[in-house]
Amino acid sequence: MEKNADVIVIGSGVIGSSVAYNLTKKGASVLMLEAGTLGCGASSACDGFVILQSKSPGPHLTMALASEILYRTLSEELDYDIGYSHCGGMIIIEREEELEAMKIFMSKQKDLGLDVSLISGDEARIVEPALSKHIVGATISTRDAQVNPLYMVNGYITAAKRLGLRVKKHKKATDFIRDKERVIGVRCGGDSLYADNVVVCNSIGAPELFAKIGCELPIIPRRGQLVITEPVNPLIYHVMLCSRYIAAKYHPELLEGSSDESIRLGVGMALEQTAEGGLLIGSTREFVGADRSTTVAGVRAVTQHAARIVPALKRIRAVRTFAGLRPYTPDGKAFMGAVPEHKGLFIAAGHEGDGIAYAPITGKTIAELVVDGSTGVDLTPFAVDRKIEKH
């Protein structure tokens, strides 16, 4: 048996590419396997928010705060422009009854060290003149930022290749190779590839792979439909979410019985303007299996909701629609760390809408765990064998 690498990384999105880069940075020989083309999964169909305000106080926010610090110097470290802009972010509040909930949410975030403030509707319109007059307030943080997800993937992989990373595209991992209780490689159809360690980062494909070792991994595809507009002059200056986005993310069960179509579709506004001037408008949160198609109802709900908050959008043409699959978990936490009872097997998957924000710290942490055997980051809340309760 000839070893193909020290570590095999399965998946090439922002998480997999960060893990691969950080492993090569620590001196490991790494082979990356990708079933399609690089970054073709969730990372190719999402917004570029590095937003901390949307993270619930606790492990989510702690990870995001650590990751944001790494983002500040990431382009320089990779010697690659990842489209990082430290623009700040806002969560828009449309109704008076949402103000108190956001105050409590924000207070807990501040206790963990996030610089975030609540401002009135009038103050929000001074900062962002395009906001509708009915907006009653917003939370705002200077630590939020944006990035180009595909630039990130290319940046990580380009830097890792300089350190020896090898990549096999169109190579789907179909099973693990085991020697008693240890994973020693991966099968790709009829091919066998061997390594000391394997890291699974292909979130949507991970449950099928884990089923081969008798492990039920509750990662469920959750479709997000998005819209891209024509380039326009600067319209907004922060990345923006609405407070309903928080509800759609953390309490999907509250959306199902609504008579409002946009609420049933889990629509919560995500709005950013790219460096080229186009606006990215999102998004739905739908459980429709692996269906990545867009729908008239979904696109209509996304654009109408966003235009209610930023009325100028009504006069801007949409040029493209697309959808991606977010890897949802019932308790809202990703799976990260070593897989119990399977030595040599690690996972970093199931980040849903947190993958962009978490990518730098996830890669660093998993690399430390694989190469050094330990990490200073507490991964207990993200353990594969944790007791999972719906949030």
Side-chain angles (χ1 to χ4, degrees):
M1 181 186 71
E2 182 179 349
K3 188 173 75 171
N4 297 91
D6 295 330
V7 187
I8 291 174
V9 173
I10 302 172
S12 69
V14 291
I15 298 296
S17 60
S18 176
V19 168
Y21 166 72
N22 280 279
L23 284 165
T24 58
K25 185 180 172 183
K26 292 184 74 67
S29 64
V30 181
L31 174 62
M32 173 183 281
L33 304 179
E34 169 52 57
T37 56
L38 297 181
C40 66
S43 299
S44 68
C46 64
D47 59 57
F49 288 17
V50 184
I51 193 160
L52 283 62
Q53 289 186 77
S54 68
K55 308 301 179 277
S56 61
H60 286 100
L61 183 56
T62 300
M63 288 287 287
L65 285 165
S67 208
E68 186 268 334
I69 292 171
L70 298 176
Y71 259 118
R72 298 176 192 177
T73 56
L74 189 56
S75 288
E76 181 181 356
E77 178 180 336
L78 299 178
D79 192 23
Y80 197 100
D81 180 5
I82 61 171
Y84 179 77
S85 171
H86 205 189
C87 57
M90 297 177 72
I91 295 181
I92 308 302
I93 304 169
E94 292 189 80
R95 289 170 285 275
E96 293 284 348
E97 55 266 31
E98 296 171 350
L99 279 170
E100 194 58 37
M102 288 304 297
K103 282 180 185 177
I104 295 170
F105 195 73
M106 181 187 72
S107 175
K108 292 178 180 178
Q109 290 177 322
K110 291 178 88 167
D111 288 344
L112 285 176
L114 178 61
D115 177 17
V116 58
S117 304
L118 179 65
I119 59 177
S120 70
D122 287 340
E123 289 170 323
R125 282 181 286 276
I126 291 172
V127 177
E128 289 286 359
L131 288 174
S132 171
K133 292 179 180 179
H134 82 277
I135 300 303
V136 300
T139 58
I140 186 167
S141 176
T142 58
R143 290 192 68 176
D144 293 331
Q146 68 183 139
V147 73
N148 186 309
L150 289 179
Y151 288 6
M152 274 184 69
V153 168
N154 290 333
Y156 272 131
I157 291 176
T158 299
K161 282 183 174 179
R162 289 197 294 265
L163 298 171
L165 172 69
R166 289 168 293 132
V167 178
K168 289 183 179 287
K169 294 180 285 187
H170 305 289
K171 203 77 169 174
K172 181 180 179 180
T174 54
D175 201 353
F176 298 112
I177 303 171
R178 288 172 287 169
D179 181 8
K180 298 179 181 177
E181 76 280 5
R182 186 172 188 90
V183 170
I184 59 170
V186 174
R187 288 196 177 87
C188 301
D191 295 336
S192 297
L193 300 167
Y194 295 93
D196 296 325
N197 298 284
V198 174
V199 186
V200 176
C201 304
N202 63 332
S203 289
I204 298 300
E208 180 183 356
L209 199 51
F210 269 64
K212 299 293 180 67
I213 56 173
C215 181
E216 183 181 352
L217 196 64
I219 295 177
I220 306 165
R222 198 178 189 190
R223 182 171 68 187
Q225 298 188 52
L226 303 101
V227 176
I228 299 289
T229 76
E230 62 184 333
V232 296
N233 291 329
L235 178 67
I236 62 169
Y237 304 93
H238 296 72
V239 291
M240 291 184 188
L241 300 176
C242 70
S243 55
R244 200 166 86 181
Y245 175 98
I246 307 298
K249 180 176 181 179
Y250 293 112
H251 299 286
E253 73 282 358
L254 300 178
L255 311 177
E256 295 171 1
S258 176
S259 59
D260 185 324
E261 182 178 54
S262 71
I263 292 177
R264 286 198 312 275
L265 290 168
V267 173
M269 186 194 74
L271 182 64
E272 66 174 325
Q273 189 160 16
T274 67
E276 293 76 24
L279 291 140
L280 184 148
I281 310 169
S283 69
T284 60
R285 289 177 179 270
E286 309 164 77
F287 295 110
V288 291
D291 184 358
R292 292 182 57 167
S293 61
T294 58
T295 65
V296 172
V299 170
R300 179 178 60 232
V302 165
T303 52
Q304 288 181 350
H305 179 58
R308 188 174 73 241
I309 295 171
V310 180
L313 291 171
K314 296 175 184 177
R315 302 187 297 273
I316 300 172
R317 290 177 297 180
V319 296
R320 185 163 70 93
T321 63
F322 61 101
L325 300 176
R326 299 184 185 92
Y328 166 88
T329 65
D331 64 357
K333 299 186 186 76
F335 294 106
M336 292 186 279
V339 179
E341 300 179 12
H342 297 280
K343 293 179 181 178
L345 181 60
F346 300 83
I347 187 170
H351 290 73
E352 202 191 353
D354 296 328
I356 302 299
Y358 282 10
I361 192 62
T362 298
K364 182 175 184 293
T365 300
I366 295 298
E368 289 171 348
L369 198 60
V370 173
V371 177
D372 303 331
S374 63
T375 177
V377 176
D378 180 14
L379 292 179
T380 305
F382 307 100
V384 171
D385 59 349
R386 68 183 183 266
K387 183 179 179 181
I388 295 179
E389 298 177 352
K390 282 193 174 184
H391 55 67

